[in-house]
Amino acid sequence: MRLVTLVVCAPLAAALLAAPACKKDAPPPSAEEGSATSSTTGATPEDAPPEEPPPPPAGRLIAPEGEHFEVRFPAGYYPSKADQPIPTAAGELKAVVWTAEGSTDAFVTSFTDMPKELLAGSNAETMVRNAANGALGGIGGTSDKEEHFKLEGYPGLRVWYHGAIEGQPVYGRIDAVFVPPRLYQTIYLADNAGAVRGKRATDFFDSFRLVGVEPYGVRVVKVPDGGFEIAFPASYPEPTRSDDDVDVAGVGKMKYVMFMSTTPKGAVGAGYMAMPPEVEMNDAAFDNGRDGMLKSMGATLAGEEKIERDGRAGRAVRFKGELEGQAYEGKAELVAGDGRVHIVLALTPSVEQLEDAQVTDYFASLKIGPVADDGAAKDAAPTEEAAEEPAAPAPKGD
């Protein structure tokens, strides 16, 4: 079934926002169900040398060490692994693809790690949508049905479609899941519509699972006395609250409330400074609030810019410091509202990790305004992506 290369390459290129078309290479090794092995290229399929007996009825499991997924190909289908280069504006990327073809259908699973240049301005919905659109575009296809789904809390999109390749009708399904910074895709193609919803295809999709990846979600924390709410990543511990007084130049002591959550992956926090009624939120006031925040953490200013959040003036601040002998990089947003300076911050071991999608989503979740006191943090499903990160130091006072 000479369909795999075009259909696999197209969704990967689209999902990576790549304009250049993918090269149509020779198809990978294929095998009929029930046969030991066959190949149209002479290459030896991965894990299936010619001398091996057929796999057990349960099929062949692909579970690459350290790649955080597994999937089971049907009995008699012998997947071959290949690295597919994908040209993009950010440079050439690598898609790792496993394919197994029969005479009338094909099974595919793949992953691609996205660089931060391509993640900027994108989210999980964008990535999975582009993957599905790419599959359709590669065959001039039409979507028959779509379903949004979650895998361990990570957003995915499932699309059934039909189209044609070189005049040959083709029917397919693609499941795309984004686990930042990685896009996983599972694809089935057949020359008849019934096979796409048949047991063999369904079992293949159902067998795909994440391995060693933390479930993703958010924990909404509402702070009525602070007039804000924010969605902490659910993979972080429930945040703890601290109430302090900080010295602010020209004002004196101000109430400083901060909720912090720390984990080996990093630290995030949100809180507020209560501003006296006589203080006007001008540049000087923001300077004072920024300096008070940095002083409370023993941090040094590294850069800043003016921002606006929902019509409210603010500052985006970068800083760095050291806690318990470990250096850290940090960023914060300070936003004026209702007699307070609201603060959202994150600490990580490196500047690059501050741009992680989980951190970006956390900052974007801040909502300022009256908050009903419902008594506790609230767990909720995510709308975007999450990622594992290396250890970050815990801030003082947590």
Side-chain angles (χ1 to χ4, degrees), residues 144-188:
D144 297 317
K145 182 181 179 181
E146 298 184 1
E147 289 180 355
H148 291 274
F149 68 96
K150 296 287 193 299
L151 185 63
E152 295 293 335
Y154 291 91
L157 181 64
R158 178 177 297 129
V159 180
W160 289 266
Y161 56 88
H162 70 276
I165 296 178
E166 298 177 351
Q168 179 183 352
V170 62
Y171 304 86
R173 170 179 159 183
I174 176 172
D175 285 12
V177 181
F178 191 49
V179 184
R182 177 169 289 185
L183 175 68
Y184 290 102
Q185 295 180 97
T186 310
I187 301 173
Y188 177 69

Side-chain angles (χ1 to χ4, degrees), residues 131-309:
N133 289 346
L136 299 183
I139 60 172
T142 300
S143 171
D144 297 317
K145 182 181 179 181
E146 298 184 1
E147 289 180 355
H148 291 274
F149 68 96
K150 296 287 193 299
L151 185 63
E152 295 293 335
Y154 291 91
L157 181 64
R158 178 177 297 129
V159 180
W160 289 266
Y161 56 88
H162 70 276
I165 296 178
E166 298 177 351
Q168 179 183 352
V170 62
Y171 304 86
R173 170 179 159 183
I174 176 172
D175 285 12
V177 181
F178 191 49
V179 184
R182 177 169 289 185
L183 175 68
Y184 290 102
Q185 295 180 97
T186 310
I187 301 173
Y188 177 69
L189 316 173
D191 63 3
N192 70 91
V196 178
R197 294 183 178 274
K199 177 175 171 54
R200 186 165 61 185
T202 301
D203 287 349
F204 174 63
F205 284 101
D206 289 347
S207 74
F208 183 90
R209 60 185 294 266
L210 300 176
V211 178
V213 174
E214 288 185 336
Y216 175 56
V218 294
R219 177 182 291 110
V220 178
V221 173
K222 299 185 177 183
V223 187
D225 64 291
F228 76 92
E229 65 179 70
I230 192 166
F232 279 78
S235 58
Y236 281 62
E238 185 167 349
T240 58
R241 173 172 175 156
S242 62
D243 290 69
D244 298 297
D245 291 324
V246 297
D247 289 317
V248 176
V251 178
K253 289 189 178 296
M254 292 173 48
K255 182 179 181 181
Y256 180 37
V257 176
M258 181 58 63
F259 289 79
M260 291 298 304
S261 179
T262 62
T263 169
K265 297 178 300 184
V268 292
Y272 70 94
M273 289 184 184
M275 304 296 292
E278 65 272 14
V279 174
E280 179 186 356
M281 285 311 301
N282 52 25
D283 285 345
F286 273 113
D287 289 344
N288 290 337
R290 172 204 65 203
D291 293 343
M293 177 195 71
L294 296 178
K295 182 179 180 180
S296 72
M297 296 188 295
T300 302
L301 181 66
E304 66 180 323
E305 63 179 340
K306 293 182 179 180
I307 60 172
E308 186 176 290
R309 290 282 299 268

